[in-house]
Amino acid sequence: MNLKDQISTTKAQLLKTFEAATTEHALEEARIQFLGRNGQIAALMESLKTLSLEEKKSFGPQLNELKKVAETTYNERKAAIAKAQEQQAFAKFQHFDVTASTYQPLKSTLHPYTHIVEHVENVFMSMGYEIVDGPEAETDYYNFEALNIPADHPARDMYDTFWLDVPNMLMRTHTSPVEVHAMETKELPFAVVAPGRVYRHEATDASHDIMFLQTEGLFIGKNISMAHLFATAKAALQGIFEKKDINIRMRPGFFPFVEPGVEIDMTCPFCKHGCSVCKKTTWIEVFPAGLCHPNVLKCSGIDPEIYSGFAFGFGLTRLAMIKYGINDLRLFHSGKLQFLDQF
Ligand code: DAH
């Protein structure tokens, strides 16, 4: 094939090859094939050397023209490919579906116990009470002895106790031991509430678990009577259930650390004539209380001839069940997010 034909075939070939290149990679291969240092056009240029001056004059400009055509075609293709890529990216962006469902972020909520504790604390703080804390692992002395429950007292049977491997140590069965710590350390008169966990070694069911929440309350001063207890219990329950028309009544109850001891009932906050919560009675048993037994005061160095006081022991778990309408207390301790998320 003479050079003239070679030039025209190469031209036709390169136009076709560049046209067919639709990716950056294919275009680069085409560039190397025709415009590369060892490419087809360079080879034709090389063959020019062997020609006569006359022929050089004629084919030189034709080869330069071919190179120019190759370069322009290459540049046009390059721009076209870049544009197509840009359009593709834009099309993808345009089809971004804002309504597509994605994973919901996990939202955290406070545990119902945290809500009830904070709420009860606020109610008592508004009445001038101080919030105190005590250890969950206690000694026999604080949990029983100092509360007028000596070793042989039958009342110990009320408390199914988790004893620890350490002699005389146990998991507190109620928050009452915090009373003893308060009486030992506080200046008189004082008023405290002590919310916290308590432990009982018993079979679990919808209303019993091995751990639950209580709060102890204790007010010690001069001339403290049942009237103070009555008014405090009523005001506290009105605050806790956020209702003014709650009334209370007291029935006799026995606890070794109080004399007299009472069980406090409140009028049902959910109905007027009986419902499932109050079991159609319009009354709900809420918590036990009483006036501090002289033995208890004496044991912690307080003279019962001068001082008196009242104490109460709320089952906070029970209050939370009533307030939030929960019928199985094990749900509180289950870690079930579906349940806990509602608070
Ligand atoms: N500590 C008692 C219990 O867990 C509850 C209690 C009853 C506490 C009467 C008191 C009280 O302060 O006066 O069974």
Side-chain angles (χ1 to χ4, degrees), residues 217-287:
L218 178 65
F219 182 10
I220 297 199
K222 286 182 180 160
N223 300 317
I224 303 302
S225 72
M226 286 300 258
H228 295 108
L229 171 59
F230 195 97
T232 305
K234 188 167 157 176
L237 287 166
Q238 287 174 347
I240 290 166
F241 286 91
E242 294 162 284
K243 274 193 136 182
K244 271 272 156 247
D245 62 347
I246 284 180
N247 212 339
I248 63 164
R249 71 181 182 191
M250 287 174 170
R251 291 175 287 116
F254 174 76
F255 290 91
F257 30 89
V258 282
E259 180 57 37
V262 292
E263 292 286 354
I264 296 177
D265 300 338
M266 69 169 176
T267 49
C268 182
F270 307 107
C271 73
K272 286 257 173 295
H273 305 291
C275 66
S276 61
V277 183
C278 62
K279 303 201 180 74
K280 305 260 185 243
T281 64
T282 71
W283 289 98
I284 300 179
E285 178 176 336
V286 266
F287 60 88

